[in-house]
Structure formats: C-alpha cells, structure tokens
C-alpha cells in the first residue's frame, strides 16, 4: 500500500484526493490531506445573503474545458450545472468615462466584423485603420516567447492593448498584458501568427470551418452551479474519507527521507511514500526550500497577484436602472481602482431574486495591494464612489461583502513554458512528487482539476505522465 500526503485543501487538493479514493477503498493507497485553514475549498467560497448567491472567489468556469463539469457529473450534480445567459451577453469597456459595448464579431481580442468594428466608438480611427491593415500581416516564423502586449501592439497598436487586451486579461489573471506570456496565455495567437500572419484572417478562417448552426447550438460560455461554486466543495468533501482530511493544520516543512517524504504538520511528523503539493507555487517553493533548493527557486519565480472581490446587493430600482449585459471592464488609462464589475443577476440564473440586483466588483494587482490594509467599510466606500462615477449609481447597497485573496492568482510571465520544462526535469529526479494547482498549465478551475487528477495518477504510476496540451488560457 502506498502512503500519500496531499498538501492543500483547495479544489486541486480535493480533486487529487477524490482521484485516490478508489485506490484507498481497495487498500492499494492511503492518503492524508493537510489544509492550514479550518475550511476546505480554498478560494471556492459562496455566501448566501438576502436571497442572493454571493461568490467570494470564482463565480464560474469556462465551459469549453471539460474537467470541472465532468467532475460535477461524476459527483452526481450534473443537473445542478447552469450556463451563463449568453443571449444577454454584453460587456462594456470604460472609455473616457463612458461605457462602450464591445462590438459584435470580436473573437476574444480579434475584431472579425467590418461594420460593427467600423462604427464602434471603442476604437479611434487610427486603430480602425490598423485593424484593416492587420489583415495583410504576413506570416511570421516562430520566435522567442514575448508578452501579450507586445504581440497585440505589433498587430493592432497600443490602444488595443489598453482598451481590450489588458482589461480582458486582468479580469482572468489579475495581472497586466505587458508581463503575461503569449505562449502560455494565448498559445493560439502565437500559432495563428505563424500560420496566417494576420490574427483577423486566422479567426475568419476558423469561423468559416464552424458548422452554420454552431452559433445557435453553442454551449454557454461559462458554467456555474445553482447554489454557487461552493456546492462543488460541499458535494466533494463527503465523498472523501473523513479521517484522511486534516484541517486547521499547516504543513510546516517537508524532508526527503528513506526514499520518501517526511511531512511536519501541526505538532506531528509523518512519513509518506509520495507527496502531492496542491498549492500556489510560492507556498510549494517555501516547503521545498531544503529538499530541493533548485526546484524551490523555479517555483518561487512564478509570479502571483492578489485580488479583492466585493459583492453588493441592491433593490429592484437599481436593477432596473443598470445597463443591460454582464458588466464592464476598466482600462488602466481610466485612472480608476476598480478593474471590473459583473452584473451577476444578468450573467447567471438563480443568483438573485427578481427584486434584487447583485454586483460583483473586482480589484487586482497593485490596485488591490494599495487598498489591502483598509477596513471593509473603507473599501466599500471606494467601490461606491467609483460605481457612482461610472454608472451614476447613488443608492446605498442593501448589503456589501469584501473578500481578500492574497497572492492567489498565478501570473504566467514571459518564458513560463520553458520554466515548466525545467520544473518537470527536476521533479522527475525526486522521489514520487507531483505538483498540482494554478501555477502551471491553466489558472482556471477546470485546469486545476485536471492537474490534480494527473498528479494523483503520477504518484500512483510514476512515468504515466502524458505530454500536456498547449492550450493554457483559462
Ligand atoms: C478572486 C478569484 C476569482 C477567480 N475566478 C475564477 C473564475 O471565475 N473561474 C475560474 O475557473 N477560476 C477562477 N479563479 C481561479 C481559480 O479559482 C483558482 O485558480 C483555483 O480555485 C485554485 O485552486 P487550488 O486548490 O489550486 O488553490 P487554492 O484554492 O489557493 O487552495 C490552496 C489551499 O492550500 C492551503 N495551504 C496553503 N499553504 C498550506 C500549507 N503549508 N499547509 C496546508 N495547507 C496549505 C490554503 O489554505 C488553501 O486552502 C479565481 C481566483 C480568484 C482568487
């Protein structure tokens, strides 16, 4: 029987434990999961306030990546999955104080429809000219990795970085386009540049290949759970062996010993044959500092950003007064602290009663760090002031909740994939060690679950690792 330690009780650690459960029941494996906080789930946390479902961390996952929905189905809550109300999807960008809708035909960052782009006040005439010229961009041989900002600027100019690339990516990674790696975050774009040259032409070619009914039958862009993301944790935890879950207990150190790993956690130490670190990479680096300084240094070099989400509930009057759509993004050049706000009651069904509006506001990176020390009341005052400026929203919220997430979102910097190769080489030289979480090949929940399932398989059958797909974007 193999004894396995899992460190970290977020969705990654729990998904790894669930993958090991069958082996535990047959007696082939035994695991202990250590979680430093009193609750399991990590950043997946939902509160029910005044009839509203308030997400403290993630509010959904991208439907295209199957691993999270598949896990829900395996757990028997497939009927609880809900899709985003894509018929009402409309996202605004704040430009000189005005909310401008994203034009129709935008495929992620790439404009593909002439008329909506031509008439959109989102872009200046010089950017519109760049968009037209971009269609003539010649193919470019594969080059060294670069930042997303650098690739987009080369194709469309700096306004496109400021008004689209940066706000869209900040909403996902909490970082900025100038430091995120194209190869790790938008591998398709690097490939499209190599094969087609023009991103616009590549997107048009991809669209032509889609069946004509694709738009009508398309799955919703985002998936969530009726009772919120914590429903996944509440369903998953009872399916694990209760005595294998050790909460309120931080792993303080790990040591290589007798071909395995000794974990010191709380007041005790225990020896294991294998170790799964299901942690942000900075926490994994800290634990590995003695056992493998080389691996620790590589893990520590992966950046993380902090974020703050604020959930605000309003009455029926506010719900009627808000613009239609999913919410808005704020480019850095607007000089605001808010990065984004979601009109949650529009984005998903079951999130707020008909007579309530639910807003979710988001700060990340230096904007979050700069207000970190402030009280919840002071942060709520900042949010209200900015919502007043942006939406003309003067009403006092019926409730407000502030959630802070320290260094929780990984930033895949330029050269990230090369770093992962080095990490993999070092990892394979160590006794049964597997790494799971958002620091590696996808920051979203589906990728974390996939990484955890692979980690569990790795420690059960070393050498079973498959090559990773190159699509990383969450
Ligand atoms: C605000 C926010 C919004 C997001 N929105 C989305 C979204 O909409 N869709 C999406 O797909 N993804 C989203 N993400 C990303 C996604 O939620 C995370 O990447 C994912 O949940 C990370 O899970 P994890 O288990 O790897 O890490 P975590 O959830 O960070 O869990 C790690 C756990 O390890 C524990 N721990 C740390 N050190 C130790 C130690 N020494 N000993 C024991 N335990 C330890 C921590 O307490 C924590 O519980 C969001 C993330 C944040 C922060």
């Amino acid at each position: 029987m193999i004894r396995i330690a899992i460190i970290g009780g977020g969705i990654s650690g729990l998904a790894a434990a669930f993958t090991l459960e069958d082996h535990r029941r047959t007696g082939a494996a035994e695991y202990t999961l250590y979680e430093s906080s009193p609750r399991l789930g990590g950043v997946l946390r939902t509160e029910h306030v005044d009839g509203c479902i308030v997400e403290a961390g993630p509010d959904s996952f991208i439907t295209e990546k199957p691993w999270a929905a598949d896990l829900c189905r395996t757990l028997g809550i497939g009927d609880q999955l809900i899709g985003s109300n894509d018929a009402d999807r409309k996202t605004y960008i704040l430009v000189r104080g005005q909310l401008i809708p994203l034009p129709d035909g935008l495929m992620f960052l790439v404009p593909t429809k002439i008329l909506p782009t031509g008439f959109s006040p989102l872009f200046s005439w010089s950017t519109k000219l760049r968009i037209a010229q971009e269609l003539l961009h010649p193919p470019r041989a594969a080059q060294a990795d670069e930042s997303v900002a650098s690739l987009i600027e080369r194709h469309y100019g700096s306004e496109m970085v400021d008004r689209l690339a940066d706000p869209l990516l900040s909403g996902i990674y909490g970082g900025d386009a100038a430091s995120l790696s194209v190869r790790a975050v938008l591998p398709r774009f690097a490939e499209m540049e190599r094969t087609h040259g023009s991103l616009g032409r590549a997107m048009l070619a991809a669209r032509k290949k889609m069946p004509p009914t694709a738009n009508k039958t398309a799955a919703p862009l985002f998936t969530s759970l009726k009772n919120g993301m914590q429903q996944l944790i509440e369903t998953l935890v009872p399916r694990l062996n209760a005595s294998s879950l050790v909460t309120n207990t931080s792993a303080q150190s790990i040591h290589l010993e007798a071909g395995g790993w000794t974990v010191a956690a709380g007041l005790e130490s225990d020896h294991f044959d294998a170790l799964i670190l299901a942690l942000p990479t900075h926490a994994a680096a800290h634990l590995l500092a003695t056992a493998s300084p080389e691996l620790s240094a590589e893990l520590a070099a992966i950046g993380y950003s902090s974020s703050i989400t604020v959930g605000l509930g309003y009455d029926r009057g506010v719900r009627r007064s808000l613009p239609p759509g999913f919410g808005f993004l704020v480019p850095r050049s607007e000089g605001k602290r808010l990065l984004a706000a979601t009109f949650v009651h529009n984005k998903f069904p079951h999130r707020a009663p008909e007579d309530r509006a639910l807003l979710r506001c988001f700060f990340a990176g230096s904007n979050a760090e700069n207000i970190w020390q402030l009280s919840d009341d002071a942060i709520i005052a900042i949010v209200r002031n900015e919502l007043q400026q942006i939406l003309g929203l003067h009403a006092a919220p019926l409730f407000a909740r502030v959630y802070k997430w320290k260094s929780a979102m990984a930033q895949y910097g330029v050269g990230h994939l090369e770093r992962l190769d080095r990490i993999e080489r070092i990892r394979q030289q160590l006794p049964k060690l597997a790494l799971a979480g958002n620091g590696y090949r996808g920051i979203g929940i589906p990728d974390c679950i996939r990484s955890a399932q692979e980690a569990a398989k790795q420690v059960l059958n070393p050498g079973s690792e498959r090559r990773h797909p190159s699509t990383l974007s969450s």
Side-chain angles (χ1 to χ4, degrees), residues 274-337:
L275 175 64
I276 298 176
L277 294 177
L279 297 167
T281 58
H282 50 84
H286 179 70
L287 287 175
L288 284 164
T290 316
S292 176
E294 204 190 353
L295 181 53
S296 171
E298 292 287 4
L299 293 171
I302 296 171
Y304 270 76
S305 79
S306 299
S307 48
I308 300 177
T309 60
V310 183
L312 302 137
Y314 292 93
D315 64 15
R316 182 198 303 266
V318 170
R319 182 160 176 156
R320 286 207 202 103
S321 73
L322 290 171
F326 281 9
F328 62 83
L329 298 163
V330 185
R332 256 163 251 277
S333 56
E334 290 295 308
K336 301 269 184 276
R337 300 201 226 203

Side-chain angles (χ1 to χ4, degrees), residues 448-472:
C448 288
I449 292 172
R450 178 180 54 82
S451 78
Q453 291 167 341
E454 286 182 6
K457 286 179 197 143
Q458 275 170 16
V459 295
L460 290 170
N461 316 298
S464 68
E465 301 80 303
R466 63 178 175 86
R467 285 302 301 162
H468 291 275
S470 58
T471 28
L472 301 188

Side-chain angles (χ1 to χ4, degrees), residues 8 10-12 34-36 42-44 58-60 251 279 437-438 443-445:
I11 187 60
S12 300
Y34 297 99
E35 165 55 46
S36 52
V43 303
L44 270 72
D59 68 349
S60 57
L279 297 167
N438 67 14
I443 178 181
I445 295 166

Side-chain angles (χ1 to χ4, degrees), residues 89-390:
R89 193 163 96 224
K90 193 171 193 182
T91 303
Y92 302 86
I93 306 282
L94 190 71
V95 178
R96 297 200 187 96
Q98 301 294 313
L99 289 178
I100 311 287
L102 288 177
D104 192 24
L106 206 64
M107 290 176 80
F108 195 48
L109 292 166
V110 179
T112 60
K113 288 193 180 165
I114 298 169
L115 285 181
T117 308
F119 284 110
S120 171
L122 182 60
F123 308 117
S124 64
W125 283 109
S126 60
T127 299
K128 287 175 187 168
L129 191 64
R130 290 287 299 262
I131 293 170
Q133 286 169 339
E134 200 275 342
L135 294 168
L136 306 173
H137 199 291
R140 190 169 188 256
Q143 312 267 328
D145 195 12
E146 64 181 320
S147 72
V148 173
S150 140
L151 181 136
I152 298 296
E153 189 163 351
R154 230 166 354 85
H155 284 255
Y156 297 110
S158 56
E159 190 179 87
M160 194 73 132
V161 175
D162 175 56
R163 294 194 184 165
L164 269 188
D166 206 40
L168 283 170
L169 289 169
S170 306
I172 300 170
Y173 291 89
D176 67 295
S179 53
L180 292 170
S181 148
V182 162
R183 286 209 185 157
V185 170
L186 295 173
R188 250 179 98 191
F189 279 32
E191 183 56 18
M192 289 191 303
E193 190 179 48
R194 196 182 62 76
T195 53
H196 288 77
S198 158
L199 305 179
R201 267 190 295 120
M203 283 295 189
L204 287 170
R207 210 172 52 195
K208 264 197 199 138
K209 283 191 193 148
M210 287 189 217
T213 51
N215 262 346
K216 288 184 191 120
T217 56
L221 197 55
F222 303 104
T223 299
S224 191
L225 283 157
K226 262 186 200 160
N227 284 318
M229 293 307 299
Q230 192 169 299
Q231 191 176 1
L232 172 55
I233 304 301
E234 284 163 3
T235 315
L236 182 47
V237 171
R239 300 285 290 271
L240 305 175
N241 182 40
S243 63
S244 301
L245 306 175
V246 185
T247 52
N248 242 334
T249 305
S250 186
Q252 285 128 13
S253 64
I254 54 178
H255 294 284
L256 274 170
E257 213 166 46
W261 298 90
T262 297
V263 176
L267 299 173
E268 296 181 7
S269 290
D270 207 347
H271 187 75
F272 297 90
D273 306 301
L275 175 64
I276 298 176
L277 294 177
L279 297 167
T281 58
H282 50 84
H286 179 70
L287 287 175
L288 284 164
T290 316
S292 176
E294 204 190 353
L295 181 53
S296 171
E298 292 287 4
L299 293 171
I302 296 171
Y304 270 76
S305 79
S306 299
S307 48
I308 300 177
T309 60
V310 183
L312 302 137
Y314 292 93
D315 64 15
R316 182 198 303 266
V318 170
R319 182 160 176 156
R320 286 207 202 103
S321 73
L322 290 171
F326 281 9
F328 62 83
L329 298 163
V330 185
R332 256 163 251 277
S333 56
E334 290 295 308
K336 301 269 184 276
R337 300 201 226 203
L338 254 187
L339 202 63
T342 306
F343 307 150
V344 182
H345 53 277
N346 285 344
K347 188 173 173 187
F348 288 104
H350 310 289
R351 285 292 175 264
E354 284 300 308
D355 59 351
R356 292 281 180 270
L358 178 61
L359 266 62
R360 169 184 159 93
C361 297
F362 184 65
F363 300 89
S366 56
N367 286 7
E369 298 287 354
N370 291 341
I371 59 170
W372 200 262
Q373 303 301 340
L374 299 182
S375 66
D376 286 2
D377 285 347
I379 292 173
I380 292 163
I382 290 171
V383 171
R384 286 191 59 193
N385 182 33
E386 298 212 343
L387 290 178
Q388 192 176 323
Q389 291 169 30
I390 297 168

Side-chain angles (χ1 to χ4, degrees), residues 416-432:
H416 182 72
L417 295 188
E418 288 78 8
R419 186 180 307 288
L420 292 188
D421 287 342
R422 293 196 294 277
I423 287 175
E424 186 53 19
R425 275 197 295 276
I426 311 169
R427 184 193 71 80
Q428 287 188 5
Q429 286 157 17
L430 293 164
K432 292 185 177 175

